[in-house]
Amino acid sequence: MAHVTDGALSGYCTVAGCAASCISGRTQNSHKSGDGDGLRLKSSRWYGYLAAGWATIFASVHFFWALGGKVGLDISAGQRLADERPGWFVAGGLWGVGCLCLIGASVALGLRRRGVDGRLWGYLKVLGWGIGGLLLVRGILVEVLLITGVAEVDGVSSAQKFWTLALWNPWFILGGVLFGLAARSFGKGMTGEVELRSITAH
């Protein structure tokens, strides 16, 4: 009987050890998976920050021009507008665009949120996609028209055309990509965050 009892205890210990090993392995894998999801969630929030930074920089440039700054204005708006600075251009093309950029920055910061739903939040996502789409269309369309020579505009200097191709159009395309990524990741990750918290609590 002693031999039988010892054998049974040994068997139980072996089974218990295997079970504990399996549970430990699953827990470690869960932690690894949770850590990976957490890193992806945190990195996706940066799209909103980057889009907001893009819009803030663009707003600052327009406010600089609106306050009388001249650096870069001629290669952006043209020499005539940069020299004459008509009231409609300063009000709408500089102050107005700068304010719109700040609104865009607010939208981008709103797109950082996770685990949200509802009609109003849905409108925010659509707005983010719309901003991204407009920026992409503006940048790509003007780039293609200038490269192919389809659009020939009187009064556009070679320097303005060069900087439009090399700087302004790529800048618009970058903004469109950032807003698109921010809108794409908006509202995602609530399930992953809940699972990550429950795993960490255990």
Side-chain angles (χ1 to χ4, degrees), residues 111-153:
L111 293 174
R112 296 178 303 108
R113 294 177 63 89
R114 293 293 175 272
V116 295
D117 53 15
R119 183 174 297 177
L120 292 178
W121 293 110
Y123 290 155
L124 182 64
K125 184 168 186 174
V126 171
L127 186 58
W129 278 117
I131 294 173
L134 286 174
L135 292 172
L136 283 174
V137 169
R138 193 278 182 200
I140 295 174
L141 181 61
V142 175
E143 191 84 353
V144 170
L145 291 176
L146 288 177
I147 291 175
T148 57
V150 174
E152 292 294 340
V153 182

Side-chain angles (χ1 to χ4, degrees), residues 84-126:
E84 297 178 1
R85 298 176 64 88
W88 64 266
F89 170 67
V90 174
L94 300 180
W95 286 111
V97 172
C99 291
L100 288 176
C101 288
L102 290 183
I103 294 175
S106 300
V107 172
L109 290 177
L111 293 174
R112 296 178 303 108
R113 294 177 63 89
R114 293 293 175 272
V116 295
D117 53 15
R119 183 174 297 177
L120 292 178
W121 293 110
Y123 290 155
L124 182 64
K125 184 168 186 174
V126 171

Side-chain angles (χ1 to χ4, degrees), residues 40-49 112 114 185 193:
R40 284 193 293 271
L41 289 173
K42 291 179 180 179
S43 63
S44 67
R45 292 186 178 184
W46 280 102
Y47 297 140
Y49 284 119
R112 296 178 303 108
R114 293 293 175 272
S185 62
E193 287 183 350

Side-chain angles (χ1 to χ4, degrees), residues 145-164:
L145 291 176
L146 288 177
I147 291 175
T148 57
V150 174
E152 292 294 340
V153 182
D154 294 334
V156 176
S157 64
S158 58
Q160 184 181 356
K161 181 176 180 180
F162 170 80
W163 286 109
T164 299

